[in-house]
Structure formats: C-alpha cells, structure tokens
Amino acid sequence: MRDNEVAALLEHAVAAVELPPGLVQRVVTRSRARRRRRLLLSGGTVAVVVAAGALLLPQVGPLGSEGGGTGPIAAAEVPDGIVGSDGRPVTQAQVVAVGRVGAETLVLIRREPRAEERAAGGQAVEVLIAPDVDEPRRLLDYLTYDLACVDGDVVCAALRSTGSGLGVAVARRSGGRLYVLVQAPQGRTVEVVANGVPHALGAAPRGAVVEVVAAEPYEEVQVWASTEDGRRYQIPWAPGAVLID
C-alpha cells in the first residue's frame, strides 16, 4: 500500500475521533523508514475500532518500543561446560566477548589467527553457544576480524594502524529475533544503529548485547565505536559474522 493510500485510510478511519495534530503524518513517516515491514491494518479492524469510539494504533516494533528491540543486556558470565577447540575448559583470558542472546549465551573465544591474516592485523575467534536447556555447542570454528575498515573511514584506518584493535561484532538470530553482540577495547563506547535507530551500549570490553529490528544485518545494521577523545569509527562486519543455525 502506498503512503498516500495509508494516509487516506487513516484519515477516513479517524474522522470521528479526536487525535493529536500531525499524528497521521508521523505514522506515514515512520512507515517509510521501515519499508521492509508490512502494515497489518485491515479495513474491518478499523471499522470495529472506530465503532467502539477509540483508535488503538499498534506500537511500532515487535517489543513495544518505538524503535523496536530492547535496551542493552547486562554482561553475562561464561556458562559451565564451555571448552575450546583443544578440548580444555576456557579461561577468562581466552574470552573475547560473552553475552546473553534470548535463552542462550554467546561466547567468543580467542584463537590464533592464520599467519597471513595476523600479518595484516587480523584477529580471530571461535564462536560457541550455550542454550539454557541444552549442552554448549560450537557455531563457528573460526572467524577473522579487524582486517578491514569501511571505505573512507579515516579514524578506523588510523586506529587499526596502531595495532590497538577495532573490536568485533556478531549478529545472532534466535526465536525470530535479532541480537547484536559487540566488543570493543577499553576506553571506547559502542553504539549499534539498526535502520536508523540508535542503540547505545556504552563501554563493552567484555561484550554487550542489544536486540534490534532488521531483516538484512549486513545492509541495515552498523556498529560504531567512539574513543575517549570523541573520534568515532565503524566496526566492520566480518564475513560470517551473522550467525544462523
């Protein structure tokens, strides 16, 4: 349905209802920002609502927040039973990031990068998942990150040249929802922007998670880090960083 048709339908439906000025335009504007979503509003539903003398507009976003998704999830602990690729229990020094993702815990464990990737500044992790009601399992044996910056991001390039690390981000689909786990070095704060909606995570030296609304993470979600002096750069998605069982 086109934007003008949405506006006409809403204007007709609320003709007998007093609404705040500009509400229809705000609804149409938000619909443009979320083109991948369907507007689930039928004429029969509108007629029933208007007959009842009230208009109940659904909140934008599946979890009731205007931008969709939730606030950051507190740092998680590494679950029992997590072992590395060598079969040994992981130590805290091996853990790059850990975070709660729905009813699961994601754990990123440091791995030695391949020689050619290490020479280019790459770092590597393996990704494990620990469901609340099942045994931990490995999702990825090897994920390389910190190898590249977004074209034209001079801050990212300058930081990468120092060897201090940019940070790592992975996205996990779970139960129909999309979660982003981010880690960045000490002294930096993190923000995730999904379809133009910002989600501030703050400092994330051990990882922080936020739930977002997006259909195509690589295209619709950006992960940003800010240094203490106010410089901002984008943490690039690594190939394979969107995790789907």
Side-chain angles (χ1 to χ4, degrees):
M1 181 176 288
R2 296 185 179 88
D3 291 335
N4 64 329
E5 293 172 335
V6 173
L9 175 62
L10 291 174
E11 293 285 9
H12 175 75
V14 304
V17 181
E18 183 178 352
L19 293 175
L23 177 61
V24 171
Q25 182 59 37
R26 290 200 300 273
V27 171
V28 171
T29 300
R30 288 172 183 170
S31 73
R32 288 172 179 161
R34 296 166 176 85
R35 288 173 181 154
R36 293 181 181 272
R37 298 187 192 174
R38 295 177 180 176
L39 182 64
L40 301 180
L41 184 63
S42 68
T45 302
V46 171
V48 170
V49 172
V50 173
L55 178 66
L56 302 177
L57 288 176
Q59 293 176 307
V60 178
L63 300 181
S65 62
E66 182 174 321
T70 63
I73 301 171
E77 296 299 323
V78 178
D80 294 334
I82 295 290
V83 298
S85 55
D86 58 3
R88 299 178 182 179
V90 300
T91 65
Q92 288 297 329
Q94 291 174 279
V95 176
V96 174
V98 58
R100 292 283 300 163
V101 176
E104 307 164 330
T105 302
L106 273 182
V107 185
L108 276 57
I109 302 174
R110 194 178 312 279
R111 288 202 61 169
E112 183 67 20
R114 301 182 181 102
E116 65 276 14
E117 294 169 348
R118 182 174 60 250
Q123 302 187 56
V125 293
E126 56 183 305
V127 182
L128 293 94
I129 188 166
D132 290 349
V133 295
D134 206 346
E135 293 296 316
R137 67 184 187 277
R138 190 167 280 98
L139 285 183
L140 279 180
D141 288 329
Y142 189 92
L143 175 68
T144 308
Y145 65 99
D146 264 8
L147 275 174
C149 298
V150 176
D151 288 347
D153 192 334
V154 295
V155 175
C156 180
L159 288 173
R160 187 171 168 272
S161 67
T162 67
S164 59
L166 302 175
V168 58
V170 297
R172 163 73 173 159
R173 293 198 184 278
S174 178
R177 295 174 172 178
L178 179 66
Y179 301 87
V180 179
L181 168 63
V182 186
Q183 183 273 344
Q186 289 278 4
R188 304 180 201 181
T189 56
V190 176
E191 180 183 60
V192 176
V193 180
N195 282 316
V197 179
H199 304 267
L201 274 67
R206 293 190 68 248
V209 174
V210 67
E211 183 184 350
V212 302
V213 175
E216 301 292 341
Y218 285 119
E219 299 176 9
E220 299 171 359
V221 180
Q222 299 86 42
V223 181
W224 297 88
S226 298
T227 61
E228 291 179 323
D229 61 8
R231 293 183 296 166
R232 190 168 184 256
Y233 66 93
Q234 192 170 343
I235 298 176
W237 289 112
V242 178
L243 311 170
I244 302 174
D245 282 344

